[in-house]
């Protein structure tokens, strides 16, 4: 279980974590930032939906008890950690690829 894997940037992530400050931007940069923020929110929503579907299917196999037992809890935690870690690796590789293409 990976404890230090970062969660994907979401709507509550500080602006400085992914974009320049608004005071230094012109109109087109502000539009680009708004688009990027919208895209980030959509990707996060898709990731969360996929994690829920994949992990619930894996851990419960269409059998939902009234209370979640320790086994199901551990299964969900590990599954979600793996999914978010995989997402983090893909985002990092994609960012590096874009940076290499810009050089």
């Amino acid at each position: 279980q990976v404890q230090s894997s970062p969660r994907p940037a979401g709507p509550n992530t500080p602006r400085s974590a992914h974009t320049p400050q608004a005071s230094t931007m012109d109109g087109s940069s502000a539009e680009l930032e708004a688009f990027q923020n919208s895209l980030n929110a959509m990707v996060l929503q898709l990731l969360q939906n996929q994690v829920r579907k994949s992990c619930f299917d894996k851990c419960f196999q269409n059998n939902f008890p009234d209370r979640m037992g320790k086994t199901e809890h551990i299964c969900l935690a590990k599954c979600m950690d793996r999914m978010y870690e995989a997402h983090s690796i893909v985002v990092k590789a994609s960012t590096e690829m874009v940076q290499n293409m810009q050089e």
Side-chain angles (χ1 to χ4, degrees):
Q1 185 173 343
V2 177
Q3 294 291 335
S4 63
S5 63
R7 297 292 190 245
N12 295 328
T13 303
R15 177 192 317 261
S16 61
H18 14 208
T19 56
Q21 295 297 322
S23 62
T24 63
M25 293 189 287
D26 61 15
S28 63
S29 294
E31 289 174 10
L32 182 60
E33 179 184 7
F35 175 74
Q36 184 65 44
N37 288 339
S38 176
L39 186 60
N40 286 345
M42 185 170 41
V43 167
L44 180 62
Q45 185 67 41
L46 289 170
L47 175 66
Q48 289 173 337
N49 289 342
Q50 188 61 42
V51 166
R52 281 188 202 109
K53 180 176 179 357
S54 297
C55 293
F56 272 81
D57 287 351
K58 178 181 187 292
C59 297
F60 290 100
Q61 301 158 357
N62 295 323
N63 179 21
F64 299 102
D66 289 339
R67 293 190 60 151
M68 187 167 65
K70 184 176 180 178
T71 303
E72 291 88 6
H73 188 270
I74 291 170
C75 179
L76 278 176
K78 287 182 178 182
C79 180
M80 291 174 71
D81 280 348
R82 283 192 299 271
M83 295 284 279
Y84 283 117
E85 183 178 10
H87 173 75
S88 176
I89 290 167
V90 169
V91 167
K92 182 179 177 185
S94 299
T95 302
E96 289 173 1
M97 185 176 71
V98 167
Q99 288 172 348
N100 290 337
M101 290 171 56
Q102 291 175 348
E103 293 177 357

